Amino acid sequence: MTFSERLKNEREKRGWTQADLADKLHVSRQSVSKWETGKNYPSIEVIIALSDLFGITIDEMLRSDDDLKEKVIQDSKKLAHPKLKSFFDSLFLLGVLLILIKIIILGSNLFFYTNITILDGLPKVISNFLPLVLMIIGGTGSEQLKKKFAD
């Protein structure tokens, strides 16, 4: 039994119209109609609500329909994407910020004759290349996510 057949069967078992079910889920009747005809699928949030309404497991709702399983998998990837993208964007911006701070300190030492040292105990290789490494990791990670999650 496909998801659409299961949905219609469960709804009719309870004597609900499409409008009744739509009201319970806070969606339009047309959405319920599209789900029941297989023209569209609900979001994972709606699938969870349907599972609760019908008193059946999400597994029972998903197992019968390969297309719906694939949609749920894709939706979950899209939910993970913004968090990962924010992480990589933050790494990139941290690298930019560190480079700007270094330029300001070097400029201040050169033009205003200050004697500000940059992380005195840290090896020069780390203080010189850490911002660049952060920018490369952040930029590369963000670009890979864009390719991986492109629709």
Side-chain angles (χ1 to χ4, degrees), residues 11-106:
R11 176 182 61 77
E12 288 176 344
K13 229 193 306 188
R14 287 157 182 77
W16 296 341
T17 64
Q18 287 182 344
D20 293 336
L21 181 58
D23 287 342
K24 293 177 188 310
L25 296 171
H26 308 291
V27 298
S28 69
R29 187 207 54 80
Q30 290 84 359
S31 293
V32 174
S33 174
K34 287 179 183 177
W35 301 336
E36 287 186 357
T37 57
K39 292 180 181 173
N40 202 351
Y41 289 109
S43 67
I44 188 64
E45 292 88 358
V46 173
I47 294 169
I48 292 168
L50 285 167
S51 169
D52 291 342
L53 271 174
F54 296 150
I56 58 177
T57 66
I58 294 171
D59 188 52
E60 289 175 287
M61 298 196 74
L62 294 178
R63 288 265 180 218
S64 60
D65 197 318
D66 290 336
D67 290 338
L68 179 58
K69 279 192 286 189
E70 184 58 34
K71 181 194 181 303
V72 169
I73 290 167
Q74 291 305 316
D75 285 353
S76 68
K77 286 181 180 178
K78 287 179 183 176
L79 290 174
H81 174 256
K83 292 176 186 174
L84 288 172
K85 181 146 177 38
S86 294
F87 171 74
F88 285 117
D89 289 346
S90 297
L91 279 182
F92 182 82
L93 290 174
L94 180 61
V96 169
L97 180 66
L98 290 173
I99 286 177
L100 287 175
I101 289 171
K102 186 167 185 154
I103 290 171
I104 289 169
I105 290 172
L106 291 175

Side-chain angles (χ1 to χ4, degrees), residues 127-138:
S127 67
N128 287 336
F129 291 106
L130 179 65
L132 181 61
V133 169
L134 290 174
M135 289 174 61
I136 290 171
I137 291 171

